[in-house]
Amino acid sequence: MSTWKQLSPSALHHLDMGVAFGLTDVGTIREANQDNFFIAPELALVVVADGMGGHDAGEIASADAITLVHGFIRTAQSQAAPAATDAALHAMTTLHDAVEFANERMYRTNRANHQPEGAGMGTTLTGMWQPAPHGPLFIFHVGDSRLYCFRHGRLTQLTRDQTLYQQALEAGMKEPLPARNLLLQAMGPARDVKPDLQTQVVAPGDVYLLCSDGLYGNSTPEAIAGILARATSDNLPQCCADLVAMAKRDGSRDNITAVLVRCNG
């Protein structure tokens, strides 16, 4: 059974790679929660999306992006499997096409609602998919939600924030830097989107964290790592709750979403 935007803890979900659990919280300031997450054990697919565009539009955008990408991948997965030598290319192409498909549908909705190019509802989209049991993860990313891997005591950020702030940092710009939440691209507002795609070999005991910027924006990597270091296959709900509490304690002013996957072994 898939999980869709849980607002309170529920059962753990068993994927081929391990165990998954997610939690989302409106936070301390916002009136509505525009974050969404999705866990689909039958596809070994986990996704987080952080919507934008107003009280209702952001929540609709994040839900639509996940629904469209999930449907595309599910259809592709149900078709004849490619030869082993083509499996990785097929998976990467599927993800690229899924994100483009979702963006095109969302863009058309914005234009139908008389939104100009670059405006209207939109969302970040970050996820990972393991199309073959015991195979690598395929990671897709648009915006500034994040995917981390905690392995052998070390926290690594696998995604790159697609923001003007990150671009300015990499260019060596001096203060004042752009605001942290100015996205270079998102799903929906523009005709074209270019997802970042990569692969990741899974190791026993890995802990993966998918999260919105409301979780990491005010907290240190050390604080996040300290919680992930305690993650086991049985206590993911508590770790997710601890991550949300950490973000609130550290002054987050946004919706907060944490999805954890702990790999077997």
Side-chain angles (χ1 to χ4, degrees):
M1 179 180 179
S2 300
T3 292
W4 180 265
K5 194 172 186 178
Q6 298 175 329
L7 297 175
S8 59
S10 69
L12 293 166
H13 294 269
H14 294 271
L15 288 67
D16 286 330
M17 74 185 88
V19 181
F21 185 87
L23 183 66
T24 186
D25 191 284
V26 69
T28 61
I29 303 295
R30 300 292 181 91
E31 295 182 356
N33 191 347
Q34 299 184 75
D35 287 0
N36 267 292
F37 73 86
F38 190 65
I39 301 171
E42 68 279 7
L43 291 178
L45 174 69
V46 185
V47 191
V48 165
D50 178 359
M52 63 202 76
H55 188 280
D56 295 322
E59 184 172 0
I60 293 171
S62 59
D64 283 354
I66 292 175
T67 299
L68 291 164
V69 166
H70 170 247
F72 192 100
I73 293 173
R74 182 180 57 194
T75 299
Q77 190 79 326
S78 67
Q79 297 171 353
T85 55
D86 299 327
L89 177 60
H90 176 75
M92 198 70 82
T93 302
T94 296
L95 282 182
H96 179 273
D97 293 349
V99 172
E100 281 200 337
F101 169 78
N103 184 73
E104 191 270 336
R105 291 294 184 91
M106 296 172 66
Y107 176 76
R108 275 199 281 163
T109 298
N110 274 328
R111 296 309 298 267
N113 291 331
H114 310 293
Q115 296 291 343
E117 178 78 17
M121 65 178 182
T123 184
T124 70
L125 186 73
T126 300
M128 61 184 197
W129 175 42
Q130 188 183 41
H134 314 297
L137 296 177
F138 291 82
I139 297 164
F140 54 103
H141 173 66
V142 175
D144 68 346
S145 294
R146 286 183 180 178
L147 172 61
Y148 293 93
C149 174
F150 184 80
R151 176 182 292 176
H152 303 315
R154 180 180 179 183
L155 184 69
T156 302
Q157 181 182 331
L158 299 180
T159 53
R160 172 186 175 272
D161 299 341
Q162 297 175 352
T163 61
L164 285 173
Y165 177 82
Q166 182 64 32
Q167 189 179 66
L169 284 180
E170 293 170 0
M173 290 180 60
K174 306 297 184 182
E175 298 284 353
L177 295 172
R180 290 174 179 263
N181 62 348
L182 297 177
L183 296 178
L184 293 172
Q185 65 171 355
M187 301 285 291
R191 182 187 300 273
D192 298 317
V193 66
K194 296 180 179 179
D196 287 341
L197 303 172
Q198 60 178 296
T199 60
Q200 166 83 358
V201 176
V202 177
D206 279 355
V207 178
Y208 292 92
L209 167 64
L210 295 93
C211 61
S212 60
D213 65 333
L215 187 140
Y216 70 78
N218 292 77
S219 299
T220 65
E222 291 76 17
I224 295 172
I227 295 173
L228 299 192
R230 304 196 299 267
T232 68
S233 297
D234 298 323
N235 73 351
L236 296 189
Q238 185 59 56
C239 288
C240 283
D242 290 345
L243 287 165
V244 171
M246 171 204 70
K248 290 181 177 180
R249 183 181 64 248
D250 292 343
S252 175
R253 300 175 60 85
D254 205 345
N255 307 141
I256 306 164
T257 299
V259 181
L260 289 175
V261 179
R262 190 181 192 283
C263 296
N264 296 322

